[in-house]
Each structure stands twice: as C-alpha cells, then as structure tokens.
Amino acid sequence: MENISSNTQVHGYTLKGVLFLIGTIILFGSTNAQVLSTENKKAKKLYEKADKKYRDRDFDSALDLLEESVKEDPTFFEAYIRMGSLYNAIGKEDSVYSKFQSYIETAPDPIASVLEKQAFMAFDRGEYARSKDYLNQFLDKVPERGENFDIDLLSRSLEFAIDQLANSTDSITVSLLPKEINRFRLQYLPSVTIDDASIFFTKRDDVRGDEDIVVSYKKDGKWLPAQSVSSRINTPLNEGACTVSADGRTMIFTSCDGRNSLGSCDLYITNKIGDTWTHPKNLGKPVNSLYWESQPSLSADGKTLYFASNRRGGFGGRDIWVTKNENGQWSVPENLGKDINTRKDETTPFIHSNGVSLYFSGNGYPGMGGYDLYRSEKKDSTWSKPKNLGYPINTFRDEVSIVIIGEGSKAYYAKEEQKNYEILDSKLVAIRLPEELRPKSASYLIGVVKDASTGEPLIADIQVVDLSNNTLIYENTSDSVSGQYYMVLPVGLDLAGYVKKKGYLYSDFHFKTDSNTALKPDTINIELNPVKEGETLVLKNIYFELDSHEINERSESELINAFTLLKENPNITVEIAGHTDDTGTRSYNQSLSEKRAKAVFDALVSKGIDEGRLMYKGYADTQPLQPNSSEINRQSNRRIEFRVLRVKQ
C-alpha cells in the first residue's frame, strides 16, 4: 500500500526514456531491414531466431538465443541493445543496466537515448563517475538536452554527490535499532513522542503482506518488543504511515480502500483516552479527497497537520500540503508552494515539535540518488530553501520518513534495500545529528490537573500565551481519565499558562522556556478550586510598571481570562485585592496596593463587567505569601488576588 518505494516513479527515469526503449524493440523487430555488425554467421543466425521468438512474444527464449549469440561474438552490439530492451519490457532493471553497458562498450557510436538512460541508471546505483561519463557522452551528441529539467537535475545531483563523497567524515554514525523494534520483515515510516519514550511505525510481515501500525515503549532506557497499537486501529486492511502528537494521545494514520474512504488513501484520526484508543474516524473533506492523501505529520499540539497528496493544485506528482484545526474543524489544505514542492515528488513530511523545522523526502532537488532527506526552516510565513542532509544520511538508495526527538540530537528513519522497484528489506535506524542539522529544541511541561477538594483527575482546557505579543501559541485539554497533560512549547519565550474548567476558578502560572538548556520536562501539577465563597485566585500574570499602578500590556491575557470567569459565572461577586512586599513605608504600600486593585477593577468594568459585582481593596504588605527575605519571595508577595465574596443560588 503505502511504502514510498513502491511508487510508480521512484527514480529519475523519464517517460521519454521508456518510450525510447519501446521504440528500440520496434526498430530491431525486423532483421531484414538491418545490416548487422557481426560477421559471425552463427551469431547472426541465433539473432534471427531470437527475432522470431520475440515476434511470438516468447521473450525468455529470445533472451536465451541472444545470450548465445554474444557468446559467439562478444562485440555483437545489436544483440546487447536488443537484450536490454527486452529486459526493460519485463521489468528487470539490473539486467537492462548490464546489457546497455555492454552495448555502449561495444558499439562504435552508441545511441544517445541509451547513453541518457544509462546515465540515470548508473546514478541510481551510486556509480557517480560512470554516470557522469555517460551524461557527458550524451550531451556531446545532444547538447540542447542540457536545458531539460531531468538532465539538469542529474547534472547538479552528480556534482553534489561527488562533492559529498570527497568531503565525507566519520562524524555521523548510522546504527540499526535493536531487534525489539526491527523484528518484522519490513518496518518503516516511524513517528516518535517528544520525550523519545514511544516509537510508532508501520510493519509488514512479508513484502506484499498486510500493513499494520505497531508501537514500542522505552523502559529503563531499553525498547520493549513492538506490538500492535490497537485492534481498533489495525484491521485485515492496510493501516500505516501514522503520526502522533507530542504527548502520544492523538494519532492520524493512513488507510486505503476501506473504512468508507473518499479516495485511494485517506487520513483517519483516533485519540487515546486513558489507555484506550478511540474508534478511528475519517478526517473527511476538505482534508481527504478523491485523490491520494497519506504520510501525515502532526504538530506538537495536534492543531496543524502536514501530509503528502497527489491532489489537484500541486506542482508535481506528490506534494506536501498543510491544514489547521480551527475550532474543531480542519481548514481547506494549502499547498506549501514552490519553496518546498517541485515538479517531482515531495513526501513523508515531518514537522519537529518546535513547529518551524520541516524535514521531508523527495527526488526533485539535487541529491545522492533515489529519495533523499531535506530540511527547511519556517520564518514568518515562508520556508527556507531545502537543504540536503547529505552523506552518509543520504545515499544512492531511498531514504525516507525521518523523525527527530524533541531536543533535536537524535533522529530515526528507514533504510531500504530494493531490486527492480521491489523492497527486499527495510530497517529502522538511528543517528546522532551534527549540530548544523539539528532543529531548534522545544520545551515541554507535564503534569496532572485535579480537583483541589477531592483529588479527582479533571479534563480541563489548557492555553499558553506569548506575553511579548499576547498571542495564543498552545491550546489543548488534559486527559479525561488521568488528568495528565503535555504542553509543548518553543524555547526562549516569556509565557503565561491558563488551565480552565467550567464550575472552577481557573489556575494560571508564568514561566520562561530556557533556550540554553537541553530538553527536559518541567512538572507543574494543577489543582482547580470549585467556584464557591471564600476561594481565592492569584492573578499571576498581572504586571504593573515599576512603582506604578499603570497596568502593563503584558497583562492582557490575564484580564481576558478574569473577564471570562466573571462572564461565565454571573452569580458571583468578587473582591480584587492588591498586595505589595515590605519595601517602602506602610502608607506608601497601602496607597499603591489600593491603586493597583482599582486599576484592575476599572479594566474589568471597561470590558463590560457590572461594577456592582466587584469590590477592590488594598492590603499593602500585611498578608505576605512568603517571608520577605529574598527577591523571589518579594515577587510572590507583590500580587493581585480574586476572592469570591458571594455566590447567589
């Protein structure tokens, strides 16, 4: 079904090249019209018998006779080109390559189209010097073909590949993953959680067998044997090419010709609640179409989806597209455009958990051969020019479906062996990425949301806002069974977090993601207090100018959440309390604390809250949360609090 190596056009062979070969068979279909190069009568007789067998469509016998003819005369170049053409007709590419090579070596003036075909075939076998020689011979005969896209791409790829090999180092080591993962006939298209604790991938027990999605979990630093992810997901049909969100709780996968699909292959979504995956649902229109949609990659928060498709509106055979989940609905997919997509294939996208580093495989850029792996960085709304990951990550074989762990140093992808377009072997490998190929790290928080009174886990909405521009950068929910949550966040930002559930006071916090430290999870467990008289809420993201009651614009997200709380609970009356640390005189602190409380009062009234539901009061430094013995403690004591005064029944 899904493995990229089974695509119709894996390598650089062009339709013109195939048509040439058909024409070659026709050209040599009549020996009476030819003056053969050999003077060996037996060789000529065998060639004529082969011609008759060819006309009878008995290709095997024709090939046997042609083999005998070149034994009689090893310089009989017409026999070689006939064999190469016949082998092409029956799909034996290695034999095509061998016979055309013999033809070029023996023919006094090789046909240009054979040189062209052979240049591509040598490149696809990693025989770069030979490919360059064939290409130069071809261009000497047909110099105008140098303007052709495929020829130009081959020329640039040869220059790139030869340079890569000449300047290769031992700094990158490619290593097989353990037998607990590589335990099937074929395994490919991996997806990994941000913490590198779970790896999901597609497996086959034989080359043409059923595809299923399996998962391996890491315990005490070692991978456990991979097992089927769920009987709800895997069926007698093909399921593969999956992606999981950073927390491993949302999966999107590919299934073909089943599950009420709209096209040849569609994308399906399932969510993990507790330890159970829900029944998969077709993503439907507009994501899926009558065409092929596959190889999804989900952003860390599960809100942006990249995938490959051959739908209309693209630049080549298969392009990379993107859609966003807006208010529970996926938007109309957009093509990533000519910055990423070419007239050939771009497939297996992977968006790193940092949200800006995109990796993909393709055959439309200069490379080592077959499908190579590339990287592009997003800045604002544009993508940088894709960069080939280079040798030894890329080779003349197909390298596809790379995924990279959250902190960016390690990657997984599939190494494949194939013959005549058929996969013989596929194993998952790991590499340590050099600094220049690593994506910018992401940061993440983990924790559990609970009811402060009962300790019961809660499903709650979680939002994170960038305080520099009051932009929402993360939105998700905690698990409805366990209350667990993940927040995956860019590094180097000053952020405000909000955890909300109807019937409860929300909880907020402020934190910075450090760009100078390796990825490691911070844990913040959240306890939500029910809305009832006497409960208090510290507004941790209200900021004032120094020694002033003027509210800083960074406070806007907190004011919006406070307004929403009051709007959703019209039966409550609250006191807005201002507090300071012990710096300054008591009278000064009293005045400042009251003015700050009044400023928040005014801001909420201006947003539409009835002032009869609000009171404000300054407490100066009389109610510290911590001893005023350090700057950190003093910062905690300088605060605005909500206290629920009344709840009307």
Side-chain angles (χ1 to χ4, degrees):
M1 164 195 116
E2 184 36 54
N3 194 347
I4 190 70
S5 295
S6 64
N7 285 350
T8 302
Q9 184 179 354
V10 174
H11 302 290
Y13 309 149
T14 64
L15 178 60
K16 290 182 179 178
V18 175
L19 292 176
F20 152 72
L21 293 170
I22 297 172
T24 302
I25 294 176
I26 296 172
L27 175 66
F28 288 90
S30 173
T31 57
N32 294 331
Q34 299 180 61
V35 177
L36 299 174
S37 63
T38 185
E39 295 181 0
N40 185 302
K41 292 181 179 179
K42 188 172 182 181
K44 187 180 294 186
K45 191 71 174 178
L46 289 165
Y47 185 90
E48 292 170 350
K49 288 182 178 179
D51 182 70
K52 184 177 184 305
K53 293 294 184 182
Y54 163 73
R55 292 173 181 275
D56 294 336
R57 315 303 290 174
D58 185 356
F59 290 171
D60 288 340
S61 296
L63 287 166
D64 289 340
L65 290 165
L66 289 168
E67 289 284 6
E68 291 183 41
S69 73
V70 295
K71 288 180 181 178
E72 293 295 324
D73 183 357
T75 67
F76 188 10
F77 64 84
E78 291 95 343
Y80 289 121
I81 196 170
R82 170 66 72 82
M83 281 190 282
S85 300
L86 288 175
Y87 277 123
N88 183 78
I90 60 178
K92 293 188 176 182
E93 286 292 327
D94 288 342
S95 297
V96 175
Y97 182 64
S98 173
K99 298 310 176 186
F100 279 176
Q101 185 172 317
S102 296
Y103 162 73
I104 292 171
E105 292 171 352
T106 56
D109 187 22
I111 296 171
S113 296
V114 174
L115 291 167
E116 178 187 18
K117 174 76 171 180
Q118 202 71 348
F120 281 108
M121 296 183 76
F123 177 73
D124 286 332
R125 286 159 175 75
E127 299 178 12
Y128 302 124
R130 179 172 283 172
S131 174
K132 187 174 181 179
D133 179 54
Y134 289 144
L135 180 61
N136 289 338
Q137 290 185 60
F138 167 72
L139 291 176
D140 286 343
K141 290 178 177 290
V142 195
E144 66 273 12
R145 285 297 299 279
E147 301 298 320
N148 175 276
F149 175 84
D150 291 324
I151 295 298
D152 177 66
L153 179 60
L154 175 60
S155 179
R156 290 187 293 139
S157 293
L158 283 168
E159 181 180 349
F160 174 82
I162 291 170
D163 178 73
Q164 285 287 302
L165 291 180
N167 295 286
S168 65
T169 67
D170 297 328
S171 61
I172 301 176
T173 301
V174 180
S175 58
L176 278 174
L177 289 178
K179 65 181 185 301
E180 286 78 10
I181 290 177
N182 285 309
R183 61 187 306 222
F184 307 102
R185 180 69 177 82
L186 304 172
Q187 38 270 302
Y188 43 90
L189 295 169
S191 182
V192 65
T193 51
I194 190 174
D195 55 4
D196 192 29
S198 307
I199 184 169
F200 300 75
F201 56 94
T202 306
K203 68 90 174 175
R204 277 179 173 169
D205 291 320
D206 59 74
V207 172
R208 293 182 177 83
D210 172 44
E211 287 182 316
D212 283 329
I213 300 170
V214 295
V215 60
S216 175
Y217 298 104
K218 190 178 286 185
K219 184 177 181 181
D220 299 327
K222 294 183 178 181
W223 292 107
L224 300 176
Q227 303 290 341
S228 172
V229 68
S230 170
S231 60
R232 288 183 172 180
I233 295 173
N234 292 321
T235 71
L237 301 171
N238 285 324
E239 292 82 25
C242 75
T243 178
V244 292
S245 57
D247 59 4
R249 291 176 51 220
T250 299
M251 176 190 294
I252 295 178
F253 66 93
T254 309
S255 186
C256 300
D257 304 320
R259 296 182 185 265
N260 300 315
S261 62
L262 301 179
S264 61
C265 290
D266 280 4
L267 299 175
Y268 295 77
I269 189 168
T270 176
N271 294 291
K272 193 175 186 181
I273 300 175
D275 294 325
T276 304
W277 290 96
T278 60
H279 289 287
K281 294 182 179 179
N282 190 305
L283 284 185
K285 296 179 179 180
V287 176
N288 290 318
S289 70
L290 296 177
Y291 296 87
W292 178 86
E293 281 82 33
S294 185
Q295 300 164 354
S297 179
L298 198 58
S299 63
D301 62 0
K303 301 298 182 181
T304 304
L305 176 66
Y306 297 81
F307 63 96
S309 177
N310 62 354
R311 65 206 295 152
R312 290 180 178 176
F315 290 82
R318 295 179 176 182
D319 281 3
I320 297 174
W321 298 72
V322 63
T323 178
K324 295 186 177 182
N325 194 311
E326 300 168 345
N327 300 318
Q329 297 294 322
W330 293 99
S331 64
V332 175
E334 295 182 2
N335 189 287
L336 285 194
K338 62 182 180 181
D339 289 341
I340 298 295
N341 294 312
T342 70
R343 61 190 292 178
K344 286 183 171 289
D345 286 339
E346 283 71 42
T347 60
T348 62
F350 166 73
I351 188 69
H352 186 258
S353 52
N354 66 22
V356 296
S357 299
L358 178 71
Y359 296 77
F360 64 93
S361 61
N363 60 4
Y365 291 98
M368 302 294 294
Y371 281 83
D372 274 14
L373 295 167
Y374 298 85
R375 172 191 176 188
S376 176
E377 294 290 315
K378 187 177 184 180
K379 185 176 182 180
D380 298 325
S381 60
T382 61
W383 294 95
S384 66
K385 182 180 179 180
K387 177 181 175 61
N388 190 298
L389 298 191
Y391 180 83
I393 296 175
N394 290 317
T395 68
F396 66 90
R397 298 181 174 89
D398 287 334
E399 280 76 37
V400 296
S401 63
I402 192 169
V403 296
I404 301 171
I405 65 175
E407 54 92 5
S409 67
K410 184 166 61 174
Y412 303 112
Y413 64 102
K415 278 280 190 182
E416 298 179 348
E417 295 283 346
Q418 58 178 305
K419 184 175 182 180
N420 294 326
Y421 302 141
E422 182 174 309
I423 301 173
L424 302 179
D425 187 56
S426 179
K427 294 285 193 298
L428 291 180
V429 300
I431 56 171
R432 299 291 296 183
L433 289 173
E435 288 291 340
E436 64 271 16
L437 295 181
R438 293 182 184 181
K440 188 177 181 180
S441 180
S443 177
Y444 68 109
L445 299 179
I446 61 175
V448 176
V449 182
K450 294 182 178 180
D451 184 303
S453 301
T454 66
E456 292 296 315
L458 294 176
I459 179 172
D461 296 323
I462 302 170
Q463 296 179 337
V464 177
V465 173
D466 182 350
L467 290 174
S468 67
N469 53 21
N470 289 305
T471 301
L472 180 67
I473 64 169
Y474 181 90
E475 189 172 21
N476 214 328
T477 59
S478 57
D479 187 271
S480 61
V481 174
S482 66
Q484 292 180 332
Y485 74 89
Y486 271 63
M487 292 186 188
V488 182
L489 307 163
V491 296
L493 296 180
D494 193 14
L495 302 172
Y498 301 95
V499 182
K500 300 180 289 186
K501 183 176 178 61
K502 189 173 182 180
Y504 291 80
L505 297 177
Y506 67 86
S507 178
D508 64 347
F509 47 94
H510 168 249
F511 60 102
K512 294 182 179 180
T513 51
D514 191 345
S515 59
N516 298 315
T517 58
L519 178 77
K520 62 181 186 298
D522 289 322
T523 301
I524 300 179
N525 293 319
I526 306 295
E527 291 188 345
L528 296 183
N529 291 300
V531 176
K532 63 181 182 180
E533 292 181 6
E535 292 292 351
T536 61
L537 165 64
V538 177
L539 306 186
K540 297 185 179 71
N541 292 299
I542 293 289
Y543 304 98
F544 297 94
E545 301 300 329
L546 182 63
D547 289 333
S548 169
H549 62 273
E550 182 181 347
I551 299 177
N552 188 285
E553 61 185 13
R554 295 166 71 241
S555 307
E556 182 61 23
S557 63
E558 185 79 74
L559 291 172
I560 290 173
N561 278 286
F563 168 80
T564 302
L565 173 67
L566 293 166
K567 198 74 174 176
E568 291 178 348
N569 295 274
N571 59 334
I572 67 172
T573 300
V574 302
E575 177 189 78
I576 303 169
H579 300 268
T580 68
D581 60 27
D582 65 347
T583 304
T585 66
R586 177 62 58 82
S587 61
Y588 175 82
N589 289 338
Q590 178 62 40
S591 174
L592 181 62
S593 63
E594 187 166 328
K595 287 178 180 178
R596 287 181 170 180
K598 175 66 161 54
V600 174
F601 171 92
D602 290 340
L604 292 172
V605 169
S606 71
K607 290 181 180 294
I609 299 300
D610 182 356
E611 62 182 83
R613 298 178 56 203
L614 303 174
M615 295 179 62
Y616 64 89
K617 185 175 181 180
Y619 288 89
D621 59 329
T622 61
Q623 296 182 5
L625 295 177
Q626 306 286 343
N628 284 295
S629 56
S630 68
E631 178 52 35
I632 293 177
N633 287 358
R634 287 190 176 95
Q635 187 175 347
S636 297
N637 292 332
R638 300 190 296 266
R639 68 195 188 279
I640 294 291
E641 283 183 347
F642 265 21
R643 182 164 64 92
V644 180
L645 297 177
R646 288 187 297 277
V647 180
K648 292 182 181 179
Q649 301 301 322

